Amino acid sequence: MGITRDTLHKRRLTGGKKAVWRKKRKYNLGRQPANTKLGPKAVRPVRVRGGNYKFRALRLDTGNFSWGSESTSRKTRIVAVVYNASNNELVRTNTLVKGCIVQIDATPFRQWYSQHYGIEIGKKRKDETQQEEQQPTTAKAASNQTVSAVSRPVEKALLDQFSTGKLLARVSSRPGQCGRCDGYILEGKELEFYQRQMQRRKKSGKQ
Amino acid sequence: MADTQTERAFQKQDAISLKQIAGVSKKNARWYKSIGLGIKTPKEAIEGDYVDKKCPFTGNVSIRGRILRGTVVSTKMKRTVIVRRDYLHWVSKYKRFEKRHRNIPAHCSPCFRVREGDLVTIGECRPLSKTVRFNVLRIDRAAPAAEAGKKIYSSI
């Protein structure tokens, strides 16, 4: 393969070259990057040091994303890669990496919310801007509603996303190592930050 | 809070959840720790806004191994300083000492305001970059307010 992760090929702090005094060792080896793309699931197991396995995801289309403030997670479809702090190329090629911002399908979360609280979020109402109080379908939903949903409504930025059907989430697993693309839905300050970054990119792209 | 987000990715402390919970004030949620060894965590680390994963007080590094002292030689890098340690080496043939020195790059947390010439205590941690294996723990003696451009080296 030839990819090593040793330090013998690097220069010293003073700038001097280090003389090569031994061959490359297997424990220093590196492998080709996974560059996980969006598509029907394709995961390859790789046998690594110690007999353990790493799961190199080559193509993924779903992931387990969690909604922090509501403490639930759902398996959802990943729609597109929308922002990457380190490399715009990875956004263009829809490459899934840890820390990139993706758009995910909102329906499982909307379904959970209506089951849990009995409220339909994201549905457009003609004259109301806030969530409408609906008759909860089950007794559990009724008790949940009185306790939480009223005192802790879903924030406006998230509501807007629910109405379009796509949520912004950040990938927090490493697809090339574990073979999964899991993450968390962006909320609050983080959501605001990334929305601003994407706006800036769009603006500079148009110029 | 806006001036802490200078990078292209959102800077936050991993240990703190930013989600809003009714009834709990999340204004100043900040994670910090005491690093032991008799070092007091600076007030700036507890009250500050900065996010630094390599800070010994608010980040994910532990201080273990050697604790050294030296004077700061250069502060031109982002969040790291070069610390110079002077020592005497005995030459047995001539029964005399000779002066030698070593420069150590050390990570400097934003909770410290370090200037060239400060006497500083640094502690060993895991490798933080190609050359940095130390972290500034405490400023022992700040350099006197010198004229612009004058550097002060003091041997220990």
Side-chain angles (χ1 to χ4, degrees):
Chain A
M1 218 153 309
I3 304 177
T4 51
R5 296 160 49 240
D6 65 359
T7 56
L8 296 180
H9 67 281
K10 298 213 84 164
R11 285 187 185 251
R12 299 169 193 274
L13 174 58
T14 54
K17 267 196 147 186
K18 271 186 226 162
V20 169
W21 53 281
R22 62 175 202 194
K23 296 178 163 179
K24 293 184 185 174
R25 294 284 189 264
K26 176 161 185 294
Y27 56 73
N28 274 324
L29 82 82
R31 295 188 181 84
Q32 298 283 348
N35 288 332
T36 313
K37 302 278 192 290
L38 284 176
K41 179 165 120 166
V43 176
R44 289 262 160 85
V46 176
R47 185 194 175 277
V48 295
R49 192 168 173 82
N52 309 311
Y53 280 89
K54 280 189 186 176
F55 297 96
R56 195 124 299 165
L58 303 169
R59 281 194 296 276
L60 287 176
D61 53 2
T62 56
N64 193 24
F65 287 86
S66 60
W67 191 356
S69 56
E70 302 291 338
S71 298
T72 77
S73 351
R74 283 288 178 276
K75 180 169 162 185
T76 33
R77 199 173 52 91
I78 303 170
V79 176
V81 175
V82 148
Y83 181 76
N84 186 309
S86 11
N87 195 346
N88 290 330
E89 181 82 27
L90 299 175
V91 177
R92 212 155 17 100
T93 52
N94 269 338
T95 306
L96 296 168
V97 282
K98 176 180 172 187
C100 72
I101 310 296
V102 290
Q103 267 179 343
I104 58 174
D105 191 15
T107 46
F109 293 100
R110 195 177 338 123
Q111 281 167 356
W112 172 85
Y113 200 88
S114 69
Q115 260 190 332
H116 196 243
Y117 295 120
I119 300 179
E120 283 288 325
I121 42 176
K123 288 282 171 69
K124 293 201 174 75
R125 309 247 169 255
K126 275 186 282 184
D127 30 27
E128 286 179 282
T129 49
Q130 286 175 326
Q131 297 172 37
E132 187 180 278
E133 299 282 334
Q134 291 175 337
Q135 281 296 60
T137 45
T138 64
K140 190 82 189 329
S143 70
N144 283 336
Q145 191 180 81
T146 50
V147 169
S148 325
V150 181
S151 61
R152 193 184 65 212
V154 178
E155 61 168 316
K156 184 170 184 306
L158 269 187
L159 275 182
D160 292 340
Q161 284 178 36
F162 268 107
S163 52
T164 65
K166 299 202 191 97
L167 296 172
L168 283 178
R170 182 166 196 226
V171 175
S172 57
S173 69
R174 302 172 71 190
Q177 305 284 318
C178 61
R180 290 159 204 265
C181 186
D182 302 333
Y184 59 90
I185 294 178
L186 290 176
E187 296 183 90
K189 283 225 147 56
E190 253 191 294
L191 175 58
E192 200 184 292
F193 174 83
Y194 282 112
Q195 281 178 329
R196 225 182 316 133
Q197 293 285 56
M198 296 195 296
Q199 279 284 27
R200 209 175 292 166
R201 238 196 104 218
K202 237 187 271 180
K203 234 188 275 175
S204 63
K206 286 212 174 120
Q207 282 167 4
Chain B
M1 193 68 170
D3 61 11
T4 62
Q5 307 294 343
T6 50
E7 310 287 340
R8 290 190 63 198
F10 187 74
Q11 302 292 304
K12 62 171 185 174
Q13 288 190 308
D14 274 338
I16 299 287
S17 149
L18 294 177
K19 67 187 188 195
Q20 305 295 318
I21 299 180
V24 179
S25 154
K26 283 286 181 180
K27 270 285 159 172
N28 300 318
R30 187 167 178 77
W31 184 88
Y32 64 92
K33 66 176 176 188
S34 70
I35 57 176
L37 305 162
I39 308 270
K40 202 168 155 304
T41 75
K43 204 154 71 86
E44 177 64 33
I46 302 174
E47 297 172 359
D49 261 348
Y50 67 88
V51 175
D52 184 6
K53 65 181 179 185
K54 299 179 182 177
C55 169
F57 310 105
T58 61
N60 187 20
V61 293
S62 67
I63 304 295
R64 73 285 180 287
R66 300 205 184 244
I67 312 288
L68 309 171
R69 302 173 90 204
T71 60
V72 172
V73 157
S74 147
T75 58
K76 299 198 186 94
M77 290 189 279
K78 197 198 278 190
R79 286 182 178 174
T80 80
V81 295
I82 306 275
V83 173
R84 179 190 168 112
R85 297 185 68 231
D86 295 291
Y87 57 97
L88 295 172
H89 178 245
W90 175 252
V91 183
S92 52
K93 176 174 181 187
Y94 297 104
K95 303 214 190 73
R96 284 182 175 94
F97 285 102
E98 62 176 5
K99 274 193 188 171
R100 288 191 180 186
H101 81 274
R102 276 260 184 281
N103 283 349
I104 302 181
H107 185 268
C108 185
S109 168
C111 66
F112 293 114
R113 276 302 116 89
V114 190
R115 272 206 337 259
E116 288 164 7
D118 288 354
L119 191 67
V120 125
T121 299
I122 55 180
E124 187 184 352
C125 52
R126 66 174 158 86
L128 303 176
S129 81
K130 177 181 170 202
T131 55
V132 177
R133 283 102 174 87
F134 283 86
N135 224 311
V136 171
L137 304 180
R138 176 180 64 190
I139 302 179
D140 294 329
R141 200 191 320 142
E147 299 92 279
K150 190 173 181 187
K151 291 182 201 151
I152 305 165
Y153 298 112
S154 53
S155 51
I156 314 146

